[in-house]
Amino acid sequence: MKKYIAEPFRIKMVETIKMTTREEREKYIAEANYNTFSLRSSDVYIDLTTDSGTNAMSSAQWEGIMRGDEAYAGGRSYFNLIAAAQDIFGHKYIQPVHQGRAAEKVLFELLLKEGMYSISNMHFDTTRAHVELAGGRALDCVVKEALDIADRSPFKGNMDVEKLEKLINEYGKEKIGVVIMTITNNTAGGQPVSVENIKQTSEVCKKYGIPFCLDAARFAENAYFIKKREKGYENKSIKEIVTEVFSYAQMFTMSAKKDAIVNMGGLLGIKDDEDLFIQCKARTISFEGFTTYGGMSGRDIEALAVGLYEGLDEDYLEYRIGQIEYLAARLDEAGIAYQAPAGGHGIFVDAAAMFPHIPYYEFPGQALTVELYKEAGIRVCDIGSYMLGNDPDTKEQLKADFEFTRFAIPRRVYTQAHIDVMADALIAIKARAKDVKGYRITWEPPILRHFQAKLEPLK
Ligand code: F0G
């Protein structure tokens, strides 16, 4: 059995969470029309909806909150953030924005026009949405190992570089506005990308003159996997690895709500293209606010400047990834399938394997989501056909590559005992899996339906 790595911190402040009875939870989930996004968080015991913005800040970050400079222009906190980001990422131009998708909105319309394409190892939903809003189309190009959940390759998040070059030639290099590398690869299960793969991808981009952008929400977790798994990096510091990774990209967008361990924030980085940066600044002023606050308050900027360094701490990362590997080891012991090996920010359980009798159009990932809430008050989310939705032309339900139920683990929030509650709940559900029924949608909005749809259990 894998040992749980003890927390490298002690707890100074606590937030009470409600223990509910199964009877109460049955009522709450029915009232929420079997959609966990419609639950009140006060009725949730362990909330694993996302690892984004749900992190616990340190006493040093709270100190920063008090120091935050709320000046409209030229605030002290802004300069602290720029210095930290330049130091860690090595890009000359840094623009704060309020979260990751804001960076996407500011940048992508400058790179993509109607009829153009972006190619990524895998686009996150908002990234895909901003590519499409800019008039482009998003093409995913992940290595084939990612599609086999039992394949324990070390870098299942990688770009398929051969296919990338084929796609560029097929569509024409002038039609590819940007190549985006998502680190870690969230949609594939928080799987890492190697330095070698990032380097090769950047060389292909250079060869064809296509901008190379990192979607770097989980840059520190990715660097930790590189240190543990890639030859030649075992003796480098996490910061050195991060700086090297960013040196291969001309630009990056970042949701700072993940690895910078804050509740709100984002960054846009441009390595050295001053003209592009000037255009980004103009767009930031229209969409986000003046360039020295970019949609954030000064206190949030200060907490982010501190959090960028805390996220690189190796003891913290060992505990962080260790916590998820501990959960994975308990699932291995119980014969519960998930996207293996464990990802950086959570576990993606294979709900189709748990419920082989529930077809994709009856949403096995959502069935497991509802069961986890009923069983133990745990809130997770479906990353499968329920989330994917319908074909925009035929209106037919699409079949996803995977029927995942995602356990996204907030940073520094839950303890070993909570992780055991998660494993025990899954084991209990597995024991009665054959009695679990699928779901039917009774109402859905036209886009991003999973956030708002209403469902009912099938008889
Ligand atoms: N890119 C990736 C890889 C992400 O995972 C996210 C957000 C974003 C961009 C957008 O950032 O939310 O700050 O605007 N992912 C969250 C999640 C929401 O639950 O995986 P944002």
Side-chain angles (χ1 to χ4, degrees), residues 47 49-56 257 262-263 408-411 413-414:
D47 201 345
T49 303
T50 179
D51 63 316
S52 180
T54 51
N55 306 302
K257 298 169 71 174
V262 288
N263 304 120
I409 315 286
R411 293 166 187 77
V413 172
Y414 294 113

Side-chain angles (χ1 to χ4, degrees), residues 22-161:
R22 176 176 261 276
E23 205 176 16
E24 285 169 329
R25 293 192 294 271
E26 302 257 5
K27 177 171 159 273
Y28 298 146
I29 195 70
E31 285 167 1
N33 297 296
Y34 301 92
N35 184 337
T36 50
F37 287 99
S38 301
L39 288 169
R40 288 169 187 253
S41 77
S42 51
D43 296 330
V44 172
Y45 177 52
I46 299 177
D47 201 345
L48 309 175
T49 303
T50 179
D51 63 316
S52 180
T54 51
N55 306 302
M57 290 204 294
S58 65
S59 52
Q61 287 176 294
W62 281 103
E63 238 177 87
I65 294 275
M66 298 310 293
R67 279 198 312 269
D69 180 347
E70 304 300 341
Y72 189 92
R76 198 174 52 240
S77 302
Y78 165 77
F79 290 107
N80 289 343
L81 175 63
I82 300 305
Q86 285 172 336
D87 175 41
I88 295 167
F89 306 122
H91 284 213
K92 186 168 177 193
Y93 303 112
I94 302 289
Q95 177 58 60
V97 289
H98 83 278
Q99 62 183 87
R101 66 198 71 181
E104 294 162 1
K105 177 168 171 67
V106 167
L107 181 64
F108 287 179
E109 283 181 6
L110 297 170
L111 304 175
L112 292 158
K113 301 270 167 291
E114 203 67 45
M116 291 177 79
Y117 296 86
S118 72
I119 307 177
S120 175
N121 51 343
M122 279 180 110
H123 294 82
F124 179 67
D125 323 16
T126 61
T127 319
R128 178 180 299 274
H130 279 293
V131 166
E132 290 175 2
L133 285 167
R137 287 289 170 266
L139 307 171
D140 284 344
C141 186
V142 74
V143 289
K144 62 180 184 318
E145 297 91 284
L147 303 177
D148 175 2
I149 63 159
D151 182 323
R152 296 202 176 222
S153 297
F155 292 103
K156 278 170 92 169
N158 278 355
M159 182 84 77
D160 182 337
V161 179

Side-chain angles (χ1 to χ4, degrees), residues 354-368:
M354 173 93 73
F355 305 129
H357 57 287
I358 303 181
Y360 71 94
Y361 50 83
E362 292 175 8
F363 316 129
Q366 183 62 12
L368 182 54

